[in-house]
Amino acid sequence: MHSLTRPSTRAEPTRALPLRWGSYNARLVAGASAILLGVASVLFTSTYSLPFLAVGSLLQMAGWIVLPARGWRRLLALVPALFVSWLMLAGSDFAVFTTVILAGWLLVMQRPPLAWITLALPLAAGLACSVWFASYEQNWAVFALSGVAVLVGARLARRISRVLPARSGSLEA
């Protein structure tokens, strides 16, 4: 059986990439965890806790760099995702931009075009947050709802990838 037709590589094209260091699973878990913790750290930044901004930014950068993927994909996702996490500090009106973080994940994980429909989840959650939540004290709810929408979108995109027929040709599509 050709390697692209196995369910694991069909759902995870990055699994077939030759890695120069580390195992696929360890890099995926470490990278995703660092991104998640980094975004959370940035979002809990205030004028009284500025070190969280630096630590969160560094964690996010490390997370995107560690993910098992082509280098250009990781770098293309890193800068916009980092910028969006900073932008989220301005409040619920910017929650729609969490869509950029999910788009970066879809790019890095090489999800097929149909899976990109999941970008509607953080977009809808962000729009709802901008209507429902207006005060700074409610930002924790904005961050939680937006975060859940991104995580559900990523998981749903993986499921969509698993049910699509295997692609022929290059992994670089």
Side-chain angles (χ1 to χ4, degrees):
M1 183 183 278
H2 190 268
S3 66
L4 282 180
T5 59
R6 287 195 335 245
S8 63
T9 56
R10 186 174 66 216
E12 300 295 342
T14 54
R15 188 176 287 279
L17 293 172
L19 299 177
R20 292 187 179 140
W21 59 274
S23 72
Y24 177 85
N25 288 336
R27 286 179 61 177
L28 182 64
V29 169
S33 298
I35 292 167
L36 183 64
L37 291 172
V39 170
S41 181
V42 166
L43 295 179
F44 288 110
T45 298
S46 72
T47 53
Y48 304 105
S49 62
L50 286 177
F52 283 110
L53 182 64
V55 169
S57 297
L58 291 172
L59 271 172
Q60 283 182 76
M61 288 188 278
W64 286 108
I65 290 169
V66 165
L67 286 174
R70 301 256 184 232
W72 70 268
R73 288 176 182 271
R74 292 179 286 177
L75 293 177
L76 191 60
L78 186 154
V79 174
L82 185 59
F83 179 72
V84 162
S85 71
W86 298 337
L87 194 60
M88 286 284 295
L89 290 172
S92 62
D93 290 338
F94 296 93
V96 295
F97 292 107
T98 56
T99 306
V100 172
I101 296 172
L102 179 56
W105 182 262
L106 299 177
L107 175 72
V108 168
M109 298 309 293
Q110 295 182 265
R111 297 297 182 225
L114 183 59
W116 287 66
I117 196 165
T118 62
L119 292 176
L121 292 171
L123 183 63
L127 289 171
C129 285
S130 68
V131 170
W132 295 336
F133 305 108
S135 74
Y136 184 76
E137 292 80 27
Q138 296 172 320
N139 275 356
W140 67 270
V142 173
F143 301 155
L145 290 172
S146 298
V148 166
V150 169
L151 293 173
V152 168
R155 189 70 177 157
L156 186 57
R158 184 174 191 271
R159 285 183 180 247
I160 291 170
S161 298
R162 289 188 125 181
V163 299
L164 291 177
R167 290 181 285 165
S168 59
S170 166
L171 285 176
E172 200 46 46

